[in-house]
Amino acid sequence: MERLWANRKILHADCDCFYAAVEMRDDPRLREVPLAIGGRAEQRGVIATCNYPARAFGIHSAMPTARALRLCPHLTLLPGDFDKYRQVSQQIQAVFHELTALVEPLSLDEAFLDVTDVARFAGSATWMAQWLKQECLARTGITVSVGVAPSKFLAKIASDWEKPDGLTVIPPERVAAFVRELPVTKLHGVGPATAARLEALAIRTCADLERLPLETLLQEFGKFGRRLFELARGIDERPVRVERERKSVSVETTFARDLPDLAHCREALAPLCERLEARLARHGHPPVAGRFVKLRCDDFRLTTLEERSGEPALPGFLHLLEQAWARRRRPVRLLGVGVRLVSEDARRQLTLPL
Ligand code: DCP
Ligand code: MG
């Protein structure tokens, strides 16, 4: 029998200030002082993450380190040890897998789990979440916040609700009331641009959003309008997808207006490269085997250009962009940059003893 999506039990687990938590575990003196992991200010570095004492100064992920040091001159700054973070991540993911095989990792410190069919703990997702938090802490010394809900977007909001060391449960019968109170900015896919357009329509909460008819939402937001219609009612049927090996990491933007020429494309590339860098940082800077640029022109045809080597940095991507542009010489709707990752197999072979 087909299962009603509304009867699912989904956990979202997310470590608290992950990189900083690992460093504080290994040197407890760092617990009480403002601590950040990130690149050096002299090298135009950015903050990857920081502990809660540092957050009290207004410091956050992706902030330039120079600015963080202005906000908090006595900030302790560490460069980060990504091998160590990857190891801790594996231990945590192993705990997830002891509960269920249906694990969808989102980054080093975060995953969705579908525990609908888990029989242990008398089938109680709340108990499972408690066990998960306890096991992760016991085995790695890291606290994890967990959200429990019938859908992915609510589970993710729930894990953030009482951070750090949080456990928030939204049972099916409380979904409607919970969603009504929710600011639209919390909805999956609602970024600053959509939020501003909703604000212009005087829509701040999902209760406001629920009052808009589907036709209006479709007119205002195109395809995303349907998604907004559903999310405002707590509907999100996306399944938890067990990930096969990740082969690439990429980011892309579809522009509100097509970019008319190469000069505009070049300008649009820098912010994309920054987003890619942040995304790679979240995956613990995995080894890279190549880089690529993706263009979709106004005729909707896609052009991808790839190199089998090279740093995932702006100069290399500019070079690829110029060649890709020259192939089509048409206005550009979508621009993307990405990297191929070294396969698990190849990585293992590299580290094999002689
Ligand atoms: N990360 C990064 N650059 C970013 C965002 C994150 O390098 N722009 C890295 C550092 C984080 C880790 O990914 O420790 C996990 O990201 P989260 O967004 O889950 O942030 P934290 O775990 O650090 O904090 P929180 O307690 O808010 O989850
Ligand atoms: Mg986290």
Side-chain angles (χ1 to χ4, degrees):
M1 195 182 82
E2 196 174 307
R3 171 182 304 131
L4 268 177
W5 71 270
N7 291 338
R8 292 181 305 169
K9 294 176 202 162
I10 297 193
L11 308 189
H12 179 261
D14 186 328
C15 299
D16 302 322
C17 58
F18 182 51
Y19 295 177
V22 176
E23 299 301 341
M24 292 190 292
R25 174 196 72 180
D26 294 348
D27 182 355
R29 285 172 306 177
L30 297 172
R31 283 189 187 283
E32 309 304 324
V33 299
L35 165 74
I37 317 303
R40 296 163 63 91
E42 306 87 75
Q43 292 164 359
R44 307 210 308 138
V46 293
I47 301 297
T49 193
C50 59
N51 66 359
Y52 286 81
R55 289 180 197 199
F57 287 86
I59 300 173
H60 56 75
S61 291
M63 173 183 280
T65 302
R67 179 160 151 66
L69 285 169
R70 279 199 297 277
L71 291 171
C72 175
H74 59 290
L75 180 69
T76 301
L77 183 71
L78 294 177
D81 178 344
F82 299 108
D83 285 336
K84 190 160 75 175
Y85 308 148
R86 272 199 295 267
Q87 267 171 25
V88 179
S89 172
Q90 277 169 11
Q91 286 175 294
I92 284 167
Q93 301 280 344
V95 177
F96 298 167
H97 279 275
E98 282 177 33
L99 202 52
T100 174
L102 293 178
V103 178
E104 176 179 340
L106 298 177
S107 69
L108 281 188
D109 82 323
E110 186 185 347
F112 284 116
L113 289 76
D114 186 332
V115 297
T116 314
D117 292 328
V118 173
R120 279 169 76 192
F121 304 101
S124 159
T126 307
W127 277 5
M128 293 180 216
Q130 280 163 348
W131 175 82
L132 208 116
K133 286 167 63 70
Q134 192 183 308
E135 275 316 289
C136 287
L137 183 61
R139 294 189 211 177
T140 69
I142 302 287
T143 59
V144 182
S145 292
V146 181
V148 184
S151 66
K152 278 180 159 184
F153 99 99
L154 286 173
K156 189 159 165 111
I157 290 170
S159 74
D160 203 43
W161 209 247
E162 293 171 283
K163 236 178 195 305
D165 201 15
L167 171 52
T168 302
V169 182
I170 310 174
E173 66 274 16
R174 286 226 296 274
V175 165
F178 183 89
V179 171
R180 245 176 258 129
E181 303 281 316
L182 211 59
V184 287
T185 47
K186 292 266 184 194
L187 294 180
H188 183 77
V190 174
T194 309
R197 283 165 67 192
L198 287 167
E199 176 76 37
L201 297 167
I203 290 175
R204 286 181 199 103
T205 65
C206 285
D208 300 334
L209 188 56
E210 211 184 337
R211 283 194 282 270
L212 284 192
L214 179 59
E215 296 73 52
T216 313
L217 285 167
L218 288 172
Q219 263 164 27
E220 287 285 328
F221 299 98
K223 229 171 64 185
F224 188 58
R226 181 174 300 277
R227 184 92 182 116
L228 282 172
F229 182 86
E230 291 172 353
L231 291 177
R233 289 159 179 76
I235 300 171
D236 173 22
E237 304 191 14
R238 288 175 301 153
V240 170
R241 287 184 197 282
V242 179
E243 214 186 297
R244 294 163 304 280
E245 187 184 342
R246 182 179 286 280
K247 296 204 170 76
S248 66
V249 175
S250 64
V251 296
E252 60 184 45
T253 303
T254 302
F255 302 100
R257 229 174 263 140
D258 293 352
L259 304 181
D261 52 28
L262 179 58
H264 282 83
C265 290
R266 292 175 67 117
E267 255 172 56
L269 205 58
L272 274 173
C273 288
E274 271 165 36
R275 274 172 52 204
L276 178 64
E277 165 56 29
R279 185 77 57 91
L280 285 169
R282 295 186 62 131
H283 288 282
H285 289 291
V288 164
R291 59 187 171 197
F292 59 87
V293 159
K294 202 160 105 175
L295 295 185
R296 193 184 291 284
C297 294
D298 59 346
D299 60 356
F300 285 90
R301 272 180 53 196
L302 192 68
T303 301
T304 309
L305 204 63
E306 176 158 0
E307 274 175 340
R308 282 312 173 99
S309 61
E311 289 294 303
L314 186 58
F317 284 121
L318 268 175
H319 184 64
L320 281 175
L321 169 68
E322 278 156 15
Q323 295 173 57
W325 164 265
R327 284 186 178 176
R328 306 297 321 285
R329 296 184 186 280
R330 298 182 67 101
V332 170
R333 286 180 54 81
L334 170 151
L335 197 57
V337 293
V339 295
R340 294 269 159 240
L341 301 183
V342 177
S343 73
E344 290 289 347
D345 248 11
R347 241 195 274 184
R348 244 175 262 128
Q349 302 220 339
L350 282 174
T351 53
L352 227 49
L354 290 172

